[in-house]
Amino acid sequence: MSNLAMFCHQCSMAQSGGCGSTGKTQGTCGKDETLSRLQDIMIFGLKGLSAYRTHADDLGADTKSVDDVIAETLYFTLTNVNFSFDQHIAQLMKIGGAGSEMMSRLGEAHHGRLGIPTPVCVPQNKAEGKGILVTGHDLELLERLLIATEGKGINIYTHSEMLPAHGYPELRKYSHLKGNIGKAWFDQKQLFQKWNGTIIVTTNCIVPPTGRADYADRLYSYGIVGIDNCRQLEDDFAPLIEQTLSLPDIEGFDSDDTLMTGHNYKTILGLAPQILEAVNAGKIKQFFVVAGCDKPGKPNDYFRDLALSIPDDCIILTSSCGKFRFNDHDFGTVPGTEIPRYLDLGQCNDSYGAVMIALALSDAMGVPVNELPVNIVLSWMEQKAVLILLALFNLGIQNIYLGPNPPEFVNEAIFEFLQQQFNLQLTGNVEDDLAKMLNPQPEIEVVEA
């Protein structure tokens, strides 16, 4: 379908095979390819929004206003409801606003339940004893698992988007939360095959085992996640604990590597006086937000090459699993300061923390957000990244670089609009992109610390 200008078969008036299936650019109802794709983007944004909404609801957060946006937007995409380009854009901005609200509420729910994350050095690929490996984003499940396994002789390890769990005080108080194993979500087949303990997949990160993979009998899915031939984890952890204890001790994970995480925006804002002083003294020249989803393939090495090429007088903020392209590198501190150059904000839902930091810098420097010495470079893979991008647009954030490839659901008309309104750029090669981002910035004097 990606080669078609549009495709829609949601009503009985659709042409045989679906409107657009023969190359036409307008449906029977009068919806053209641009509106059709804008409605696709709405649905993708709602998918991302529903993920954060579900986690927040599990933690008792109020989701009513966001639920209303979800229902209204689905209604918006019905046949013969709306044919206005401007109103489609306005609805997308409303989804973005709901995304900002939901990520903030989810963050507050996490902080209220688990405490505010603080920086921590996490053992990487080092494991022993009986072990459970947990992947995904569900911190509420992880907390209950830690409670259920305390004193049972079982160690708990995180994978991929669970790495930031180690930053939360109420989680790392459990001594059997030991460390992190592996990198981004897509290393599962090789990693899970090697891991001889049990495994829990909590969110949209599962990769179905195929071929000679024989770990399905040790694999548990939780909540909305499901896959044939593996067990569904319920609130009773007893079967999981029993199987874990019956398996051999973990072997083959003996690394001395470590990773840093836990730089929540509230913790970083505590460094504001030192950061602003360093900016005013010329010790910090720019900030780079290098964040987003990772996916298999060499093109995503762009983000590692970029991060390692950023000058020492710049700070790198990151979140999501895209950080696994470069979080094994020691970025040290900003020369002449004790400020870390690399700051891991957390999971993808913590991306809003970068905006909170930018707003604080804007206020302290007396400079509009889009004139700050801040560069945003995002990798995207799935629908939560779409929501985060809509949230940034709704906040008026401009000059974003997006890569490593353009979305198939955006046509030329939509991309031209995004370029005109938000100066959205596609990533090219690191050398050229970095040269543009490092163009001399106007002198900025701190108004207040």
Side-chain angles (χ1 to χ4, degrees), residues 143-157:
E143 182 188 35
R144 289 192 291 111
L145 176 66
L146 288 166
I147 293 171
T149 53
E150 189 172 21
K152 296 288 197 301
I154 295 174
N155 294 325
I156 308 299
Y157 298 87

Side-chain angles (χ1 to χ4, degrees), residues 39-309:
Q39 290 186 12
D40 287 343
I41 297 172
M42 288 181 193
I43 299 301
F44 299 154
L46 291 188
K47 289 181 179 183
L49 183 58
S50 68
Y52 298 142
R53 183 264 176 212
T54 299
H55 289 308
D57 182 66
D58 288 343
L59 292 162
D62 181 4
T63 66
K64 173 63 168 61
S65 59
V66 170
D67 293 344
D68 288 346
V69 172
I70 293 173
E72 179 185 274
T73 305
L74 288 172
Y75 194 178
F76 191 103
T77 65
L78 261 65
T79 302
N80 292 101
V81 171
N82 195 294
F83 297 89
S84 165
F85 177 87
D86 289 345
Q87 290 181 33
H88 275 69
I89 296 299
Q91 193 66 29
L92 284 167
M93 294 303 99
K94 188 176 288 190
I95 296 169
S100 295
E101 178 183 347
M102 198 71 267
M103 286 188 280
S104 177
R105 292 193 179 189
L106 177 55
E108 291 302 317
H110 281 149
H111 300 162
R113 175 83 164 256
L114 305 173
I116 297 173
T118 54
V120 61
C121 185
V122 182
Q124 168 73 356
N125 291 331
K126 189 177 185 65
E128 61 183 2
K130 310 295 183 182
I132 301 175
L133 183 60
V134 187
T135 191
H137 308 73
D138 197 329
L139 299 176
E140 190 268 344
L141 176 278
L142 180 62
E143 182 188 35
R144 289 192 291 111
L145 176 66
L146 288 166
I147 293 171
T149 53
E150 189 172 21
K152 296 288 197 301
I154 295 174
N155 294 325
I156 308 299
Y157 298 87
T158 59
H159 170 253
S160 192
E161 283 274 62
M162 272 294 177
L163 168 65
H166 295 271
Y168 288 90
E170 291 301 308
L171 294 178
R172 72 169 182 249
K173 74 180 184 182
Y174 294 96
S175 60
H176 60 302
L177 178 61
K178 292 292 188 179
N180 187 75
I181 305 295
K183 294 190 174 184
W185 60 275
F186 55 84
D187 69 5
Q188 287 181 29
K189 291 183 180 180
Q190 295 76 24
L191 180 66
F192 291 179
Q193 184 70 24
K194 182 180 178 182
W195 180 263
N196 54 304
T198 52
I199 306 150
I200 305 174
V201 183
T202 68
T203 52
N204 66 306
C205 298
I206 195 165
V207 178
T210 57
R212 297 182 180 180
D214 62 5
Y215 55 83
D217 63 336
R218 296 180 281 111
L219 186 65
Y220 290 75
S221 59
Y222 177 74
I224 201 169
V225 183
I227 186 172
D228 290 336
N229 302 318
C230 83
R231 307 182 197 189
Q232 184 74 14
L233 183 65
E234 306 295 342
D235 289 335
D236 179 12
F237 293 102
L240 167 68
I241 292 172
E242 181 180 358
Q243 184 183 21
T244 303
L245 292 172
S246 72
L247 293 170
D249 287 0
I250 303 299
E251 295 180 346
F253 294 90
D254 304 309
S255 173
D256 292 324
D257 293 340
T258 59
L259 298 176
M260 289 296 300
T261 192
H263 300 99
N264 184 264
Y265 81 90
K266 292 182 179 179
T267 299
I268 295 174
L269 291 180
L271 297 173
Q274 298 97 301
I275 292 174
L276 293 174
E277 180 182 354
V279 170
N280 213 25
K283 295 178 181 178
I284 297 176
K285 295 294 178 61
Q286 294 198 40
F287 298 82
F288 283 78
V289 180
V290 186
C293 313
D294 197 6
K295 65 178 183 180
K298 192 167 180 59
N300 272 58
D301 282 346
Y302 170 95
F303 298 93
R304 179 179 181 85
D305 295 340
L306 174 67
L308 270 58
S309 300

